[in-house]
Amino acid sequence: MTDRILIIDFGSQVTQLIARRVRESGVYCEIHPFNRVDEDSLNAYGPKAIILSGGPASVTEAKAPSAPQVVFESGLPVFGICYGQQTMCSQLGGSVEPHVHREFGRAMVDVVDDCAVFDGLWSANSQHQVWMSHGDRVTALPDGFRPVAVSEGAPYAVIADDARRYYGVQFHPEVFHTPNGAQLLRNFTHDVVGCAGDWTMASFRKEAIQKIKDQVGGGRVICGLSGGVDSSVAAVLLNAAIGDQLTCIFVDHGLLRKNEAEEVVAMFRDRFNIPLVHRDAKDLFLGELEGKTDPEVKRKIIGGLFIDVFEEEAKKVGGADFLAQGTLYPDVIESVSFDGGPSVTIKSHHNVGGLPERMRMQLVEPLRDLFKDEVRALGRELDMPELAVGRHPFPGPGLAIRIPGQPITKEKLDILRQADAVYLDEIRNSGLYDEIWQAFAVLLPVRTVGVMGDSRSYDYACALRAVTSTDGMTADSYPFEHEFLARVSTRIINEVKGINRVTYDITSKPPGTIEWE
Ligand code: XMP
């Protein structure tokens, strides 16, 4: 088995980044909430070391969460980050106090002694930038620890107990603003703990294929393709594992982007030779959506119809024992709520919610251990075209939620598709596509007056949206150059009949959402 690290979560906003940094160094890891770890689960998971995350609580409060005692009885190396460092110190006999000198944002640490996690990176008497976010601080160390770095607000910015291989940092090594942070974590996992660092997409692919074979045996699997990255990569991986025991069903609801349906069909049928049922259900969906404007009503109609059509097609091919889904790791991580109580937020897949129960199929979810960018890397490992693996996320209800506040018609869908295609074309040509999480056009429910040549026009306005994000939970609008936006606007108005005004949406999330509906 590949070496694995356990990350115990105390509810920090950036716990997932710890997992990403550890995985980027070639070591597999999982995030488990602090109140779900006990001796049995620890033994079952079998980590080589434990990382304690940050968190919003204060160890000085009575109900503060703490690390399960088994962590310190296991003999495993431990790396505590921020709250993780504080609870480790407090639990092992040191002390933590609130402090007037709170540190938020960039700070400098002074290295006062050598330490295994600094090897090859930081030496005594040097100064380094880190990112801090804390009110409390450690004020007395437990026996066996020594300070190895200090900052203005934290006399114990980095501490070490070499004998037990316990380390603690008051700052956040997992964030971008701690420039050497990833390397510090790597020193811990590789040099201190001795992880081999051999968890790569090639090794994941091999293991995942074996796991699918073991689970599915001789059974039949059905996979709903949406054209998005996750379901596409899941399908190609399944195909590599079980070949023609897999059937993919692609329901074209007529709410896709320009050429998307054709590209999906061509990729699966021609490039990968995967049996694909392509059901053209455009008229059915458009008919049911006629006159509907409420976003949740539209979502319900689309979700319900999708299930009906999918089930129909699945029956036609003789049914299956398993339903494959492109569920990702962020969807299955249990989150820790702010008061430390257990809060389980597991999102269901938007498109096929309820299907497995209804059709009595078991689930195959071969991507449930991966983050989005790891899914993309796996897709590349499986030799999938960049067009498919690099694609921006796209919502299940598609363009139906990008024509807000107005009835959806084929004419409006066509106008929107064209504007969207011009916008994405310009983004690609400018080399910006991969910098952006999601970019799309929205057809607004207003007509505006314009002048085109010598005559007056009275056409739709459209809004452009582009955001950067790491997980879609928060987002910032993309800061395009004015010239770029002007070029897109000119092209849309010249090339797309029906639009005579273009605006750019600069709302971040929160308070906005990424989609308009
Ligand atoms: P919001 O608009 O909530 O979007 O900020 C966050 C991410 O989720 C996508 N999204 C959806 N995906 N069905 C989906 O499959 C939906 O109903 C849906 N609504 C939003 C959105 O595109 C973004 O990536």
Side-chain angles (χ1 to χ4, degrees):
M1 192 164 74
T2 34
D3 299 327
R4 31 180 54 201
I5 298 278
L6 172 65
I7 298 167
I8 295 186
D9 184 27
F10 291 101
S12 159
Q13 299 286 309
V14 288
T15 301
Q16 289 195 16
L17 293 181
I18 306 173
R20 318 254 308 228
R21 296 295 94 82
V22 171
R23 289 179 174 203
E24 280 159 17
S25 76
V27 178
Y28 182 72
C29 61
E30 285 181 15
I31 300 170
H32 294 193
F34 72 92
N35 50 3
R36 296 296 171 93
V37 176
D38 57 21
E39 198 175 340
D40 290 344
S41 70
L42 192 72
N43 289 337
Y45 179 63
K48 282 194 89 164
I50 295 168
I51 296 177
L52 306 175
S53 87
S58 167
V59 300
T60 60
E61 288 162 10
K63 279 170 64 186
S66 53
Q69 208 45 41
V70 63
V71 167
F72 305 114
E73 290 163 359
S74 64
L76 295 170
V78 179
F79 191 99
I81 296 175
C82 196
Y83 185 85
Q85 181 208 32
Q86 293 166 5
T87 192
M88 174 163 71
C89 283
S90 161
Q91 290 181 246
L92 295 176
S95 54
V96 175
E97 288 170 20
H99 187 55
V100 281
H101 191 122
R102 295 153 74 92
E103 282 179 305
F104 288 104
R106 285 195 180 83
M108 299 305 285
V109 292
D110 290 300
V111 176
V112 294
D113 208 347
D114 289 332
C115 165
V117 294
F118 296 164
D119 271 0
L121 204 61
W122 292 359
S123 47
N125 302 319
S126 59
Q127 207 182 40
H128 304 276
Q129 185 193 306
V130 298
W131 193 76
M132 294 270 193
S133 174
H134 68 112
D136 295 354
R137 60 180 195 162
V138 174
T139 49
L141 292 181
D143 288 345
F145 278 89
R146 64 193 171 102
V148 287
V150 301
S151 78
E152 210 174 306
Y156 301 119
V158 186
I159 56 173
D161 174 342
D162 307 283
R164 286 185 286 187
R165 293 186 294 171
Y166 288 174
Y167 300 88
V169 293
Q170 181 54 69
F171 57 86
H172 287 269
E174 68 275 29
V175 306
F176 175 73
H177 295 105
T178 299
N180 297 129
Q183 189 63 37
L184 292 171
L185 284 167
R186 186 192 165 91
N187 279 354
F188 174 70
T189 56
H190 287 61
D191 301 341
V192 173
V193 179
C195 291
D198 56 0
W199 189 74
T200 59
M201 268 312 135
S203 70
F204 177 86
R205 171 192 165 154
K206 222 170 114 193
E207 274 177 36
I209 286 178
Q210 191 54 48
K211 244 165 120 176
I212 294 169
K213 285 183 174 161
D214 292 345
Q215 187 190 357
V216 170
R220 291 208 55 80
V221 181
I222 279 186
C223 178
L225 276 184
S226 65
V229 180
D230 309 339
S231 63
S232 302
V233 173
V236 174
L237 182 67
L238 280 155
N239 178 57
I242 54 167
D244 57 15
Q245 283 164 258
L246 170 73
T247 305
C248 292
I249 297 180
F250 171 50
V251 177
D252 182 356
H253 54 22
L255 306 164
L256 294 172
R257 291 166 284 196
K258 194 171 172 193
N259 298 332
E260 202 165 7
E262 294 78 1
E263 283 165 15
V264 170
V265 173
M267 179 171 78
F268 282 87
R269 280 206 188 135
D270 308 340
R271 182 167 178 144
F272 287 105
N273 213 2
I274 297 176
L276 175 73
V277 176
H278 173 199
R279 166 79 180 265
D280 181 348
K282 293 190 196 84
D283 293 342
L284 177 68
F285 278 80
L286 268 189
E288 292 290 320
L289 285 170
E290 199 177 317
K292 303 291 189 300
T293 54
D294 182 279
E296 289 318 303
V297 169
K298 288 190 279 190
R299 277 194 173 81
K300 255 203 162 108
I301 291 175
I302 295 165
L305 274 182
F306 183 90
I307 291 181
D308 291 345
V309 175
F310 188 88
E311 200 175 0
E312 230 174 83
E313 294 301 325
K315 278 193 185 134
K316 278 191 209 159
V317 296
D321 313 291
F322 297 90
L323 177 73
Q325 287 190 1
T327 314
L328 302 193
Y329 193 44
D331 297 334
V332 296
I333 299 177
E334 292 181 50
S335 64
V336 173
S337 73
F338 273 77
D339 60 5
S343 89
V344 183
T345 45
I346 299 182
K347 283 189 261 166
S348 59
H349 196 279
H350 302 282
N351 293 341
V352 287
L355 247 187
E357 299 81 20
R358 197 160 127 177
M359 294 177 65
R360 296 214 187 89
M361 290 189 284
Q362 292 179 56
L363 281 181
V364 193
E365 296 178 310
L367 309 180
R368 61 181 285 132
D369 291 334
L370 300 184
F371 289 107
K372 188 97 184 174
D373 45 354
E374 293 169 340
V375 171
R376 294 199 160 110
L378 178 62
R380 292 184 187 108
E381 184 67 36
L382 288 160
D383 206 20
M384 292 174 66
E386 204 48 41
L387 190 71
V389 293
R391 220 180 222 139
H392 288 169
F394 187 66
L399 300 182
I401 55 168
R402 293 179 180 171
I403 305 186
Q406 55 191 316
I408 295 159
T409 61
K410 186 168 177 312
E411 181 215 359
K412 285 182 200 162
L413 282 167
D414 286 339
I415 293 174
L416 176 59
R417 254 192 284 268
Q418 283 180 57
D420 193 70
V422 169
Y423 181 36
L424 288 179
D425 185 47
E426 283 293 333
I427 287 177
R428 281 207 169 89
N429 290 344
S430 308
L432 299 175
Y433 190 84
D434 294 335
E435 275 180 40
I436 294 170
W437 167 265
Q438 236 174 322
F440 53 89
V442 178
L443 192 71
L444 300 183
V446 270
R447 285 178 176 245
T448 72
V449 175
V451 274
M452 299 273 270
D454 288 334
S455 56
R456 172 186 186 276
S457 68
Y458 187 57
D459 285 328
Y460 290 109
C462 97
L464 305 179
R465 182 96 168 118
V467 296
T468 53
S469 176
T470 47
D471 54 10
M473 302 298 284
T474 58
D476 283 313
S477 81
Y478 188 81
F480 287 121
E481 298 281 329
H482 186 77
E483 248 172 54
F484 172 86
L485 288 170
R487 190 163 70 241
V488 176
S489 167
T490 306
R491 268 197 66 189
I492 289 179
I493 293 170
N494 285 345
E495 295 174 32
V496 183
K497 203 163 171 291
I499 292 180
N500 69 352
R501 194 172 295 263
V502 175
T503 66
Y504 185 58
D505 175 4
I506 57 165
T507 321
S508 59
K509 173 184 179 176
T513 51
I514 295 176
E515 303 289 345
W516 275 47
E517 283 194 339

